[in-house]
Amino acid sequence: MKLSREKRKRHTSMESDDGGQQVVPFQLQFDRPLPSQIKIAEWNPEKDLLAMVSEDSKVMLHRFNWQRLWTISPGKSVTSICWRPDGKALAVGLEEGTVLLHDVENGKLLRSLKFHTAAVVCLNWEEDLQSQKNGCDNNLSFEDRTPHFLPPAPRAPRMPGLVSGDAGFTDDGQDSFVEFSNSSHRRFNILCSGDRDGTLLFSIFGIFPIGKINIHLCKIPYMVEDRQTRCKLLNSSIAKVALSKDLCHLTVTCYGELVEDETELGDEQMVGHNMHGLHCLMLDTSIFQKRKNELHQVAQQASNIEELNEVVRASLSVMHKQWSDAMSTFHEKFNSLSNLIVGHGLDSSPQEEFLSLLGGARTSPPVHQFLVNSLGESPAAEIIAFRMGELRGLSRWRARYRGIGLDETLIDSAMEKAGMFLVQVDRFMRVLSSVVQLFSNFFSWLLKCIKLLMSEASDQPPIYNSELVIVFLKFLYDQDPVKQLLEASEADHCIEIDLETTQRIKELIQFGGFSDAKYLQRTLAKEFLQLELSFKEAVGMPFSTISKKIVCEDLLPLSPLTSALPSHVPISVSYYEDTSSIISSGESERNLLIDYISFQIPDESLDIGNCIVILRGLMNAPGSRSRGENSLEAILLCIPDGYYCVDLSLYKESQIVLLLNERRDASESSGDACLMILQATELAFSHISRSSRLNDWEVLQLKDSVVRLEMANEKARSIPHSVVSPLAVSASRGVACVFAAKKRAIVYILDEDEEEEASDAE
Amino acid sequence: MDLEKLVYEKVTEEIEAKRRAGEKIPFHLHTPTTLIGLVEDFNISAKAKFKESSKAKEASPYAFCVDDSLKDMDGVFLRSNWQIQGFLAEQADAIEKRGSSFSLNAFELMLRQLEKLAPELHRVHFLRYLNSLYHDDYTAALENLHKYFDSSAGTEGLDVASPCVINNHGRFEVALLCQGMLHFHFGHPKQALEVLAEAVQVSQQHHNDSCLAYTLAAICNLLSEIGISSTSPLLRSSYSPIARMGTSFSVQQQLFVLLRGSLKRAESLKLKRLVASNHLTLAKFHLMHVQRPLLSFGPKALMKLKTCPINVCKELRLSSSLITEFGSENSVMTTDGAQSTAWLKNLQKPIGSSVFLEETISGNRPYASSFFAQPSSIPGSVLQHIGSLQLVRATAWEIYGSAPLARINTLAFANCFADHSSSADAALAYGKLIVYLATYKGYKAAFAALKIAEDRFLSVSKSQMLTVKLQLLHEHALHRGQLKVAQQVSNELGVMASPVTGVDMDLKTEASLRHARTLLAAKQFSKAAAVAHSLFCMCYKFNLHVHNASVLLLLAEIHKKSGNAVLGLPYALASLSFCQSLNLDLLKASATLTLAELWLCLGTNHAKRALALIHSALPMILGHGGLELRARACIAEAKCYLSDPSFSVSKDPEMVLDSLRQATEELQLLEYHELAAEAFYLMAITYDKLGRFEEREEAAASFRSHIKALGNPQDEVNHEPM
């Protein structure tokens, strides 16, 4: 941080030399060429780091001095990116619906989560502001006991001999992986992702899905001619989502067709003449705020269990593979023996054959390795059980946790399964160890036989137990109990248990044992499947409960569209703390938030060309509307002649950064561009009355009161390039990055105060 | 029970060594006729004996079974010396497994016969020693032990003397080791320690490293099992490295150093079993003790005075790795003959597996084809070790407060290891399960289970079952208000403990804790407080900090009940800090609850604080606490709401009613009349406030019935469960 500021200073002094004549509003930091055009760019909220996605879907991270930290290519088309609020992880949304989480330090893949089926077009990750500020509720934010009692969770072992492209990312990422699991859970945050099909998904910590809503199916309350009705958005696609900092509201801007949903009539009718266009939805997500602590707890435990399930699944499959590899080597060698016996192969010398047999003995190192590997599994099972127990404790707190759908009976049954799995792991370890013992005993016997056959004198004959050789030949030579336990495809295979054990298990039921007396007949793999299933069921309840509690509270049609899907409409949504408004006596502690939505009206619509709209106060509208008040305000700004808006972005303290391009004829390839900053609070907003009819674009009310922007009056700086979107603005760092059409990245420092301070210091 | 295992291991190992050394010499030391005669004699004697007492036959079907198989295999088996030894080894296993239920006299008779016929089989003496040990016959045990070592100490009694393993003095330290453990078994820690210290000296003189390692492990085990008073000079003289450490270390630190040294020694000797057992002892140590740094420099603030649960977990894991490593142990102890005797055993059963007779009768044997139905080839001692490890883990989770994990680990033991472990371990596990049932499911299920378990484990000496039964009875009597019964039971519990200082500390603290609780229930507050105080002093003296936490909590409870909440607060806080440093999360939650109740006693203006405290402990209590604790928390929560002036019942009645309902459900399972009456009373008041009169009457009726039941407990005496 300090270093970067020094660097900035140096750059500033350099620039002022060639600039000279007058105070240029935004200092140029640098202007660098780019290897390819950038389609998405986001500043890290905590550090001077810029993440960019190039046209060929490479994700790059640059320092403020333009030093590249890392580049990754997810292999699929990247459609959106977003930083975690603490700046330590980057979420990358892909065309095929996956969200990847990458470590900021090295770009390693931390998680890959597939919650969507369509392209993830927007991501928004917000942290709960309130808990940071007043730090209260300490008695309700229970700490996680697991790290006190159990070692850190094991990591999924990698499949041996499998080198895939993705493996490069996960390489020895153990520390960062563990670190991620721990650090991400300190503060409650929610990642909201929206896809092209209109599905919105909320996930706590970015990894634990907690709610899902589809805006197509969303019933939108709407007043039509003084009558409350419900509407629907058809064919909608999400453009942008923004979660308020108190997590109570979600603003969704989307394209779609608004229709009235008259269920009693059974048909859908168009509300207005043409309500296809850009709409803004306000969703009530206050459940996240209200049940914050509960959700935090549940997510913390459940996401960890999910992770551990992943680990167990991976280690089971690795164990299976290693075991079957070892076994196939063994059988390869020994099949030749049976051939030999069948064919009376007297030609080849028995010694040679036996020597090749001895190769079979070399299976033991991998077998041993495998044992060590499998040992890693046991703590995983134990941690699963422990966390499940914690979850059960939460589920029993009915007053609090029933509200978020944590069901005691479901958790209980998952707990039972976890217990059975633990016992199964125990049994497996025993079987495995005895099998390995039998194998090694068999090999010792073999070695001795060979030595005898070759009449080789040996001072130390291997010791073996002849009984165990018999057991081996009888039960292991042509059977594979370990494989039976491990193989998922043989999951329905029934393990034979001797009568004594069955009776004991039955007796144990009276001692509070597992009520399912037949569980030892299941294989390990099957038991794990059941554990996973019952856990999913248990976690599914909160998911569906929360999903139901996210409701749409308001809709505001923004602007009509002529084309089905516009290529790019500059939109920016942000929430600011409302300093101007009166702090009402009752809610004195709560910081009132006010939402700002700014967008450019698509050229062809509404007969208002080249204008941008800034709306505010929609969030507070529904409540106040019932009281007859209306806080919704808007302003229509006309872009100076000769320019058009490329992109816009809401910046800190209700400021808006506009990126304008000079209108030129097509022949002239490069024109100048302009970066402009507006203080929204100084603009003359006017109230918008919510019309009672549905077929109105409310923005039209402002048609007569367009405010014209003049280049000379505003804080603006011209850029000697023709620019393209995106415009990346960092509110916390006070910088903006624009991209020139000629593959250049240009960074400006927006925050002059800071700069002045810096020069004062000099 | 580890110690007995150790003796056994040690001795078996020697015999093993002997056998291995003698492998080159064919087993013609005895003339076959003698042996066949012996076998026949066996049968005759056994038959005669068992005819006499068919009850004894039932009591030890195992031994009889083997005898039968001997008869069947007449002249085929038991020809060789080592097979008799295998048989004896098996019997030794059986003795340990079955404890005192193993028939004393029948086996003794057989052993005597064996001794007569084959006087050079010294192991017979050892078995006689074991037999009398498990039947608590001190003199006979000592005598047989002496005999065993007397007769085998020289070279003459051995089949062959291996020069490397057995030198002239080889036996002496082993004998001392065994004697030390004999003393330990009979609860004479002082003598045991003296003898073991001598064993250390002798082993050092004779450079018998492995014996030294075993002796050290035994000392560690002894020290960690018995209560060492912090003032006793017990350790000073015993072992030179400790004596050298001087007095600056506490007893615990000395023990820790000793443990570490013992572990290192075992590791360097590659004695895997010993390593595992040392890890287990270390885990137990970490469980109960705050690890202070041996050398402390710098500011004291850096020291984290807490127990380290992760270390426990780590030690247990290290210990459990024995299951994969036992094969590579330096002294391989394959019990030859174990499998074949198992097969012999199975010959009796129609579904048993058989290798030798496979061709003839394998047709109708579905079980024989499965590997899983086979007796495990893993040595019994390894399984036994893993089993007791499982139990330690369960205990650890009980202490740390994770009820489901404690239950699962106990169940895992009962499912997988119960048939390989000693009867004492099994009784412990079943006792744990029964206590779990009582605290989480109510008495009905627990008493039913206890009945079954009693039949199984009645004969085990110093029975865990008896303790469990007394605990249950006491708890039950307290809940139902039968104070006389409670007093009687707690006295009985106290009598069970050995009078020797430092032995049976758990039982002693348990008994006086229960005594104090009975007094408390009888509202004799000053007496109860006096008992609790003296208990605290004792726990403090013997460094039983885990017990201290609960004693302090009891004191807080006594002051709360006596209406002196202000006096109770410091005790509750002290208990909280103990819990915190020992990671006793469940106890901490219950201390928090008591603290909240104390605050609530101080007036309604503390209701908010009390509620916050309860809420902070609620997930822990609900998730891991027993029925009583849960009900108490629910009632306290409801009380907080009701006494909070800013809370209005009519606005949110379910907040109160739901938790009260939860409480009454749980209390009715427990038949805890006093608390149930309180819950119904609160419920009736709430309904009254809400104007729901019908429900109010219902609650009031339940209240009345519980009060009635509390008033005349003798009505229910005839429903006495046991």
Side-chain angles (χ1 to χ4, degrees), chain B residues 231-250:
Chain B
T231 53
S232 89
L234 212 53
L235 273 174
R236 306 256 156 81
S237 57
S238 62
Y239 177 53
S240 50
I242 290 180
R244 252 187 278 130
M245 285 193 295
T247 49
S248 62
F249 287 160
S250 71

Side-chain angles (χ1 to χ4, degrees), chain A residues 145 390 426 467 475 507 519, chain B residues 340 368 390 401 415 456 624:
Chain A
R145 299 198 299 145
E390 298 293 284
D426 247 13
E467 281 174 298
F475 294 109
E507 189 191 74
Y519 75 96
Chain B
S340 63
Q390 207 65 274
N415 270 331
R456 238 173 112 161
H624 307 289

